[in-house]
Amino acid sequence: MKLITVIVPVYNVENYLSKCIESIMEQSYKNLEIILVDDGSNDNSLAICNSFSQKDDRVKVYHTKNLGLSNARNVGLDHANGEYVTFIDSDDYVHKDMIKTMINKIGNADLVICNYEKVLSDSNEQISQDQACLKDEYWSPEQFWQHYYWRNLHVFCCVAWNKLYKLKLFNNVRYPISMIHEDEYIINNLINNCQKIKVIKDSLYYYVQRQGSIMHNAYRGYFEIAEAFLGRCSSFHEYHSNNIIEENLNEIPRLLALGFNEAKNQNNVNEKYNL
């Protein structure tokens, strides 16, 4: 049974954290290394992490000063020992068979991606995502980007947390620090390292929508997304796909326009981009 590393970045989520960790510890696939990285929380999150490490020797806890989500994920990667790795955000939770299903279906792929459901934190309503767009199949890197750009599968394709990766995909690859859309920056490098990608339609990850999370803050980081899109251009030439290059470039002016509009009331954005 292959060792799988589960990395959970943690920051001020005391009301959600226990449910998240319990859903990992209760996985039907048992050969896990569970790495909890506390990113300088100032609530009870670190104490909760430590309490779970005392209950289960698969749980390892690392504590850092507050440097953000990317650094926490990188710390987890630096300590990962599994052949495969997956990320779970600390305010989310997962189906009890998530890891077993993904490892059983990965086949000879380097990466497997599962479907997910949004969960509204105030009502616990679960909203299925992307069911009509998905079936169990293999994608090439070129097909991955075709689905990303033309089938409205941006979230499914780009986020870190609905995926099981071969750890070797992260050789010389780490998340950029202090970026909101760190997933958009890194996904291109990861996909370039893949020979084959497995996609499954099973909804195995529960993405909790809550006020106060990063993606509910006022700053949406449109300039950063535009920067990530620019960084992809050269690699798309490898696919000999002018359509993908054109679609990628067409997105950039829209993102820049949204970024300029957003920057009007964000002094830190103005300083960062010399506006």
Side-chain angles (χ1 to χ4, degrees), residues 59-75:
V59 178
K60 302 174 182 178
V61 179
Y62 297 92
H63 176 70
T64 71
K65 62 181 180 180
N66 180 221
L67 294 175
L69 176 61
S70 289
N71 182 71
R73 285 182 180 158
N74 291 341
V75 169

Side-chain angles (χ1 to χ4, degrees), residues 165-183:
Y165 313 78
K166 284 188 176 178
L167 183 61
K168 67 180 184 181
L169 294 180
F170 287 92
N171 289 349
N172 301 314
V173 176
R174 288 295 185 269
Y175 287 91
I177 305 300
S178 301
M179 297 291 185
I180 289 182
H181 293 281
E182 74 292 332
D183 304 16

Side-chain angles (χ1 to χ4, degrees), residues 26-198:
E26 293 168 1
Q27 286 293 295
S28 55
Y29 190 96
K30 299 301 183 184
N31 193 23
L32 303 177
E33 173 187 55
I34 304 168
I35 297 179
L36 311 178
V37 184
D38 177 67
D39 181 41
S41 297
N42 51 35
D43 64 358
N44 291 318
S45 293
L46 179 58
I48 293 170
C49 291
N50 288 332
S51 70
F52 278 102
S53 70
Q54 294 169 6
K55 299 175 186 176
D56 191 325
D57 60 10
R58 297 176 300 172
V59 178
K60 302 174 182 178
V61 179
Y62 297 92
H63 176 70
T64 71
K65 62 181 180 180
N66 180 221
L67 294 175
L69 176 61
S70 289
N71 182 71
R73 285 182 180 158
N74 291 341
V75 169
L77 288 168
D78 291 342
H79 290 90
N81 296 297
E83 183 175 345
Y84 295 86
V85 62
T86 188
F87 300 98
I88 298 173
D89 284 356
S90 53
D91 47 358
D92 299 335
Y93 58 98
V94 295
H95 190 282
K96 66 181 179 62
D97 293 324
M98 185 189 84
I99 293 175
K100 181 177 77 173
T101 301
M102 295 177 85
I103 196 66
N104 285 344
K105 290 191 174 187
I106 195 170
N108 63 347
D110 301 296
L111 166 68
V112 59
I113 312 175
C114 73
N115 203 4
Y116 66 100
E117 295 186 359
K118 287 184 179 179
V119 180
L120 305 182
S121 63
D122 55 348
S123 64
N124 285 323
E125 178 186 359
Q126 296 180 355
I127 305 170
S128 297
Q129 305 294 307
D130 302 325
Q131 289 286 358
C133 298
L134 297 174
K135 59 182 178 180
D136 285 17
E137 59 183 340
Y138 288 102
W139 291 350
S140 68
E142 182 177 359
Q143 288 171 318
F144 174 93
W145 292 113
Q146 289 170 346
H147 285 81
Y148 177 98
Y149 286 112
W150 285 298
R151 298 196 67 188
N152 197 30
L153 291 174
H154 290 74
V155 174
F156 175 86
C157 288
C158 132
V159 294
W161 39 253
N162 63 337
K163 298 171 175 65
L164 181 68
Y165 313 78
K166 284 188 176 178
L167 183 61
K168 67 180 184 181
L169 294 180
F170 287 92
N171 289 349
N172 301 314
V173 176
R174 288 295 185 269
Y175 287 91
I177 305 300
S178 301
M179 297 291 185
I180 289 182
H181 293 281
E182 74 292 332
D183 304 16
E184 293 278 9
Y185 279 85
I186 199 174
I187 192 63
N188 188 50
N189 292 328
L190 297 174
I191 296 304
N192 285 346
N193 288 341
C194 290
Q195 296 295 316
K196 191 181 290 187
I197 300 150
K198 183 64 179 288

Side-chain angles (χ1 to χ4, degrees), residues 3-14:
L3 177 64
I4 295 175
T5 299
V6 183
I7 297 173
V8 184
V10 175
Y11 180 69
N12 287 354
V13 284
E14 60 183 3

